[in-house]
Each structure stands twice: as C-alpha cells, then as structure tokens.
Amino acid sequence: MRDVCVVGIGSTKYGKSDLSARELMASAAQGAIADAGIDPDRIASGIFGNAFGVAEKQGHLGPLIMTALGLDTKPATVVETACASGGTAFHHGYREVAGGFSDAVLIGGVERVSMLDTLTATTYFAYGSDFTYEGGTGCSFPGLYATMARSYFQRYGATEQDLANVAIKNHENALHNPLAHLQKRITMEDVMGSMKVADPLKLYDACPFSDGAAAAILCDEKTAREFTDTPIFVEASARAGSIAALHDRPDLTSLPGAVLAGQTALQQAKLTVDQIDFFEVHDCFTIAEVAASEDLGLFKKGTGAKAATDGLTRIGSKRPINPSGGLKAKGHPVGATGAGQVVEVVKQLRGEAGGRQVENARRGLTHNVGATGGTVVVNILSRRS
Ligand SMILES: CC(C)(COP(=O)(O)OP(=O)(O)OC[C@H]1O[C@@H](n2cnc3c(N)ncnc32)[C@H](O)[C@@H]1OP(=O)(O)O)[C@@H](O)C(=O)NCCC(=O)NCCS
C-alpha cells in the first residue's frame, strides 16, 4: 500500500443549475486539474459518483465527462451507492492509487435534479431505499429519517428544538461558504414555524434538492510532491454497510455501517476521535447529524442532540461539525456530496476556508451515507507538515 495524497480540488457552486451533469462534472474536474497544476494526460482514469443520471435520460456518463475534458482514451467509471456515490468514487480512487495501479486518478461526483418537480425528485430519490418495503409504500427519505427522529426522541427525550439547533448552526456556517446552496441565516422561530415535511421533521430539518459537482486529483506521495510541498494525505478510507431497510434494524437511532466504517477508519489512521479537529458529516436531515455524531464516537449515545443545543458542534468548539454548512445548507447534490466533503476538508487543512476556517485544522473526517446507511464511507485526511 502506498500513501495517497490529494493534490487538487474543484467544485461548482451548489444550487439550481442550467448546466447538464456532464457539464457540471467537467467544470469541477477542470477546477481540480488547474488547482493541482497537473498535465491532464497524466491522469490514468476517472471515477465519478452519480445516482440519478437517468433523470436527464443519460446513462454511461463517464466517457462523456472524459471527452469533455479531452481525455477520451482514458477509462472512466460511474459508481452508484445512492447519496454515498461521491464518497465511494473517492474510496475506489484511493484504492487504485494505494494499490499501485495508477499514479494519478481523477475522482468526483455530480448530480442534476432541479429540473424535476418535488414529487418526481422525491420518487427518484426513494429508489435508493428498499423500494418494495419503503419508498414504494410511501415511506420516502423524509419519512424514514422522521422515523429515526421519533425513535430518538422517545428513547432519549430529545426535542424538535434540539434538532433545530443543528439546522441553525449549519445555516450559519454556510453564510461563509460562497459555494453553498442556501445562504440564509435562520432562527429557532423560522425552523419551528416551517412547513412540516414528515413529522417531526420540517422544511428546515431537511437538505434541499441541489445540483452540483465536486472533484479531486489523487496521487501517490512521490507524484504528489512534483506538484506541491504540502500535499494533503489520505490517512484512512473505509467503507461499511448496514441492513438495507431501516425497519429490519434493532435500533433505529444508529447506522451500524457508520459505527463500523468510523472505527475502521480510525484504526487505519492509528488515531482516536479526539485527534480529529473537525467533521464533515452526512446531515441529509438534522437527525442524521445527531446520529453521525454518536456513531462516530464524538458524543455518547443519546447525548448528540443536547450537544448541538449546547453549542458543542460549532466552529470554535471542541467538535466542529459541518463547517461547510453541511448537506443542510451547503446543499446535497446526491452523487457529488461525498466528493464535496473531501473538497471542504482539503480547503480547511490548507487554511483556505475563509470565514468558516477551523483554527489550526490538521486532521478532518468525512462521513458520507447512502440511503439510511446501506452504504457508509468514512475518510480521514491530514496535513502532516
Ligand atoms: C423539504 C422539501 C420537500 C422542500 O421542497 P419544495 O417544497 O419543493 O421546495 P421548493 O423547491 O418549492 O422551495 C421553496 C422555498 O424553500 C426553500 N427550500 C427548499 N428546500 C429547502 C430546505 N431543505 N431547507 C431550507 N429551504 C429550502 C427554497 O429555496 C425556496 O425558497 P424561496 O421561495 O425563497 O426561493 C425538499 O427540499 C426535500 O424533500 N428535501 C429532502 C431531499 C432528500 O430527501 N434528499 C435525500 C436525503 S437521504
């Protein structure tokens, strides 16, 4: 196994876009190539996350992206693990470089869904659940995460206000992120008075439907040092799964795949959670951030919601979560999200995060979830010098 580094990053703004998925992905990839300063010909392959390309009536997206980049002879693969597709693309790029198969790989993720109406988008997204027993029976993702929230409230006595504090914090962080979809400060009154989506979750407990793309160039350490004196190292990249359907699980308040992927990543990196300076986690709904904070061991089981209310997850606290604004406010272009988390961590580790910078950030963790945890990817990145 070789050490793997991120030498270039790129991202489009998240939000509604008139560009096609291939155009969005090519734009983010061009940004990453320029950021790395690498000759594109040295890129051995492209691996891209995308979940709903068929919504644009376009499959086989990989060669279209590579053609747009002038890399038409290079192999390209699109991976689909629902909302974890971008994280999975990163993981496979990491393996390709770590295993010595390629010295430079382009990874990324993209989604474009804003041309769909709410019902159609919700239905497409629900295809990522167990459609026989969940999406197809009416329990789409807002409903599934609402079930988790209900169960959490019942077991641990947390409140809707605790979850609202997650949203308020992430919207505040996104104000400092020019790439964020929702750049709007919100109050407790705004959250509590917002439209019910799936009781107890409301509009401001949910991530929006976003378009967008994100990309990174991964190299082995020797190659990376041709481009930068301060490469960002991938200390760990781990994947795990959970029983696919939420109702089959004994505990609805935790994602077993997140616990396992988190522990595996920390073991790979030979670190404890206390040595990680900040966390970009998959807060598709506010309850998901709370579950992530407990599954990853930041807070004891049943205390994550109160930790949000007590301000323990803000920038400047001991456990900053989602300085980018998270899926909640930065946005959630499904296939791009995991790659976008890596982009944010690299920016933070380089000290390029502006008003949302986590002071002295040396190590950051990404946590990217497909559906309700059928797939989970956890990465740990660091600045060693
Ligand atoms: C909550 C939800 C139903 C709202 O969708 P919608 O009713 O179609 O919302 P619209 O697109 O009509 O937007 C209406 C307004 O609310 C805003 N908005 C939309 N979603 C928002 C969200 N999640 N949070 C905050 N504001 C939101 C829009 O910006 C718009 O504001 P404007 O009127 O000032 O322009 C939708 O965002 C949703 O389902 N999100 C979850 C997506 C999901 O399940 N992802 C997979 C996770 S596993």
Side-chain angles (χ1 to χ4, degrees):
M1 292 273 281
R2 304 187 294 178
D3 275 353
V4 178
C5 304
V6 181
V7 296
I9 48 169
S11 176
T12 66
K13 182 170 166 51
Y14 289 2
K16 289 185 196 302
S17 176
D18 291 333
L19 297 180
S20 66
R22 92 171 83 165
E23 289 168 324
L24 285 165
M25 190 63 249
S27 165
Q30 278 160 347
I33 290 166
D35 182 52
I38 191 170
D39 175 352
D41 267 345
R42 295 189 61 184
I43 295 170
S45 66
I47 308 176
F48 308 105
N50 179 250
F52 306 115
V54 287
E56 278 191 332
K57 300 187 174 60
Q58 184 62 68
H60 204 197
L61 198 53
L64 294 169
I65 297 164
M66 296 308 256
T67 300
L69 294 170
L71 298 174
D72 40 286
T73 60
K74 310 284 178 135
T77 308
V78 169
V79 297
E80 187 271 309
T81 54
C83 307
S85 299
T88 301
F90 179 88
H91 178 76
H92 284 285
Y94 165 82
R95 291 168 73 112
E96 187 170 325
V97 176
F101 295 99
S102 299
D103 292 341
V105 168
L106 167 66
I107 70 92
V110 62
E111 209 67 61
R112 178 154 181 264
V113 293
S114 68
M115 66 290 186
L116 305 174
D117 61 50
T118 308
L119 177 60
T120 310
T122 302
T123 306
Y124 266 107
F125 281 30
Y127 293 157
S129 68
D130 178 344
F131 202 73
T132 307
Y133 293 107
E134 295 178 335
T137 61
C139 202
S140 57
F141 282 112
L144 291 168
Y145 279 91
T147 304
M148 290 173 65
R150 276 254 168 273
S151 184
Y152 189 95
F153 288 177
Q154 194 178 38
R155 188 175 294 191
Y156 300 114
T159 64
E160 291 184 42
Q161 282 82 355
D162 290 326
L163 296 188
N165 281 313
V166 174
I168 293 166
K169 182 258 303 171
N170 287 349
H171 272 256
E172 185 70 33
N173 291 350
L175 287 173
H176 304 286
N177 186 348
L179 298 180
H181 182 166
L182 300 171
Q183 289 179 294
K184 180 181 168 188
R185 180 170 283 120
I186 56 169
T187 63
M188 181 61 74
E189 291 68 38
D190 292 331
V191 183
M192 296 306 290
S194 66
M195 166 183 82
K196 275 266 155 68
V197 176
D199 201 11
L201 301 180
K202 298 169 284 301
L203 177 71
Y204 285 113
D205 288 296
C207 64
F209 294 118
S210 312
D211 303 330
I217 308 283
L218 306 186
C219 294
D220 65 288
E221 184 181 1
K222 185 162 166 278
T223 307
R225 295 220 177 261
E226 291 179 42
F227 305 109
T228 174
D229 294 332
T230 51
I232 301 302
F233 285 82
V234 184
E235 303 291 356
S237 184
R239 278 186 64 188
S242 312
I243 293 172
L246 188 67
H247 62 260
D248 281 336
R249 299 192 200 145
D251 179 353
L252 305 185
T253 67
S254 168
L255 281 52
V259 176
L260 190 54
Q263 288 172 351
T264 307
L266 287 169
Q267 278 163 15
Q268 269 179 27
K270 299 188 178 58
L271 293 169
T272 67
V273 76
D274 288 331
Q275 293 172 290
I276 311 286
D277 299 311
F278 65 100
F279 305 83
E280 279 291 313
V281 310
H282 197 99
D283 58 325
C284 49
F285 298 91
T286 47
I287 183 65
E289 178 169 312
V290 170
S293 71
E294 298 176 5
D295 289 342
L296 295 169
L298 279 60
F299 303 109
K300 274 204 242 136
K301 196 73 209 132
T303 65
K306 179 149 189 320
T309 291
D310 291 345
L312 304 183
T313 59
R314 290 192 199 127
I315 296 169
S317 72
K318 190 170 168 225
R319 309 274 201 212
I321 300 182
N322 285 327
S324 70
L327 284 62
K328 173 67 212 69
K330 180 189 176 193
H332 183 28
V334 170
T337 286
Q341 291 175 327
V342 169
V343 169
E344 173 68 10
V345 168
V346 171
K347 277 190 188 162
Q348 290 280 351
L349 296 177
R350 288 176 175 174
E352 295 172 355
R356 64 184 192 285
Q357 180 68 47
V358 175
E359 230 178 290
N360 299 321
R362 294 185 58 79
R363 298 190 188 100
L365 179 150
T366 68
H367 156 279
N368 185 204
V369 172
T372 50
T375 298
V376 183
V377 188
V378 174
N379 300 304
I380 299 173
L381 285 81
S382 84
R383 175 168 57 88
R384 287 189 186 167
S385 52

